[in-house]
Amino acid sequence: MPKGCLVITVGGLAGSGTTTLCQNLARHYGFKHIYAGLIFRQMAREMGMTLEEFQKYAELHPEIDREVDKKQVEAAKECNVVIEGRLAGWMVKNADLKIWLDAPIMERARRVAKREGISVEEAFVQIAEREKQNRKRYLNLYGIDIEDKSIYDLIINTAHWGPDGVFAIVKAAIDHLSSVGDAEGEKKKEKEVG
């Protein structure tokens, strides 16, 4: 179990497994799970819109994205939190570990189709359209290219591992991150004392 105050971000496109990973991390470590997608979906419901309608609305109303992103940044002030969202790694600049999950679009479409009870073809079209809209919106709003993965500490293609395998990889990263941090802290203390 890591010691101290950890802030972890998990990003990924639809069907990549971000929610499953975050739920597993929250359960295992007792982290609080902040889910930007859920905030966005709740706002859509409050406005009486489908997710697709609300995304188009958000394109014309940048305050929607800013509100969701503000909540992520606020959540990062807490200890032992995992923040899930496509822009979480960009918004929470000082996160201890930034993770990006990915998988080929057809694999993600199969997962979304199963989850939503729709055809793979329908899921593919929805995902492709949403990703195109989101990329444009993030570029216009923040100048962020969601395809730029340079900020991430760990990128996992979830087509190669099931949920348990992905969790094991991330758990190892978290556990070693903690001990490396502690070791570096001890070295600093030794230098200060010596």
Side-chain angles (χ1 to χ4, degrees), residues 10-11 17 38 46 80 104 111 130 138 163 166 168 178-179 189-190:
V10 178
L38 183 60
E46 288 168 9
N80 299 325
R111 293 174 184 174
R130 183 166 21 148
Y138 303 151
V166 173
S178 167
S179 62
K189 285 180 190 174
E190 287 172 15

Side-chain angles (χ1 to χ4, degrees), residues 116-188:
E116 304 288 332
I118 58 177
S119 71
V120 174
E121 294 76 17
E122 189 178 352
F124 178 88
V125 170
Q126 285 180 5
I127 288 171
E129 182 59 30
R130 183 166 21 148
E131 289 172 6
K132 183 177 144 192
Q133 289 173 355
N134 286 344
R135 183 169 189 244
K136 180 180 165 191
R137 208 166 76 237
Y138 303 151
L139 278 167
N140 289 339
L141 190 60
Y142 297 115
I144 292 171
D145 183 354
I146 195 74
E147 293 179 5
D148 176 4
K149 310 292 189 300
S150 65
I151 66 161
Y152 297 99
D153 302 306
L154 184 60
I155 300 170
I156 303 171
N157 180 344
T158 62
H160 295 304
W161 295 275
D164 291 342
V166 173
F167 174 73
I169 293 166
V170 174
K171 181 183 181 306
I174 291 169
D175 292 348
H176 286 86
L177 175 74
S178 167
S179 62
V180 168
D182 291 346
E184 286 176 358
E186 290 302 315
K187 286 178 188 172
K188 282 183 183 175

Side-chain angles (χ1 to χ4, degrees), residues 97-127:
L97 181 62
K98 296 180 181 185
I99 302 163
W100 181 263
L101 301 184
D102 204 354
I105 191 166
M106 283 310 295
E107 174 63 24
R108 294 186 294 109
R110 280 190 286 277
R111 293 174 184 174
V112 169
K114 185 178 177 184
R115 181 180 70 208
E116 304 288 332
I118 58 177
S119 71
V120 174
E121 294 76 17
E122 189 178 352
F124 178 88
V125 170
Q126 285 180 5
I127 288 171

Side-chain angles (χ1 to χ4, degrees), residues 20-31:
T20 300
L21 174 61
C22 290
Q23 289 170 343
N24 288 337
L25 292 172
R27 189 172 20 259
H28 182 78
Y29 290 108
F31 290 159

Side-chain angles (χ1 to χ4, degrees), residues 36-126:
L38 183 60
I39 296 167
F40 196 82
R41 282 177 171 84
Q42 287 171 337
M43 292 170 80
R45 274 194 299 276
E46 288 168 9
M47 300 279 292
M49 296 181 186
T50 67
L51 189 57
E52 291 76 24
E53 290 169 341
F54 193 62
Q55 284 173 322
K56 288 178 182 169
Y57 177 82
E59 282 181 40
L60 302 173
H61 297 85
E63 68 274 9
I64 301 293
D65 282 309
R66 288 196 180 99
E67 182 64 24
V68 171
D69 298 331
K70 187 176 103 177
K71 290 180 186 211
Q72 291 180 76
V73 172
E74 286 297 314
K77 294 177 183 173
E78 298 181 37
C79 277
N80 299 325
V81 63
V82 59
I83 303 171
E84 177 187 357
R86 285 181 188 88
L87 295 182
W90 292 93
M91 294 295 128
V92 184
K93 296 187 186 332
N94 296 326
D96 297 291
L97 181 62
K98 296 180 181 185
I99 302 163
W100 181 263
L101 301 184
D102 204 354
I105 191 166
M106 283 310 295
E107 174 63 24
R108 294 186 294 109
R110 280 190 286 277
R111 293 174 184 174
V112 169
K114 185 178 177 184
R115 181 180 70 208
E116 304 288 332
I118 58 177
S119 71
V120 174
E121 294 76 17
E122 189 178 352
F124 178 88
V125 170
Q126 285 180 5

